Amino acid sequence: HTLPFSWSEHQVLTTLDYSTQNKWVNFWMGGFNHHVAHHLFPSICHCHYPALTPILSQIITNAGVNYQCVYYYELFPLHLQYLRKMGC
């Protein structure tokens, strides 16, 4: 099957960042909360994600693609909605 958009756009559309501005969450999660940067640049060390994420979000938004970033406390309800949608 072919996707109706590029690989990079697919990564952005199917990935969610959370609490990227929160230093505690960045430390606790080890950069895991910067999913978009990780999926677009998997070989870059996670210590660079906090600096890279604002640049990526601006580029993504300017390209007209929906960049998704939520707060940490929003994750659990979103995950439950996703599980319900998937029928689990």
Side-chain angles (χ1 to χ4, degrees), residues 2-43:
T2 354
L3 295 174
F5 32 78
S6 68
W7 172 86
S8 55
E9 188 172 350
H10 174 75
Q11 298 304 310
V12 173
L13 292 172
T14 59
T15 308
L16 177 72
D17 281 351
Y18 59 92
S19 297
T20 58
Q21 301 291 323
N22 187 313
K23 291 182 184 207
W24 185 86
V25 173
N26 285 331
F27 172 78
W28 183 254
M29 300 306 290
F32 189 70
N33 54 320
H34 294 267
H35 256 75
V36 173
H38 167 70
H39 281 259
L40 292 176
F41 304 102
S43 61

Side-chain angles (χ1 to χ4, degrees), residues 43-61:
S43 61
I44 291 180
C45 179
H46 73 277
C47 67
H48 300 294
Y49 293 166
L52 186 58
T53 295
I55 298 166
L56 285 174
S57 67
Q58 186 64 47
I59 291 169
I60 291 165
T61 303

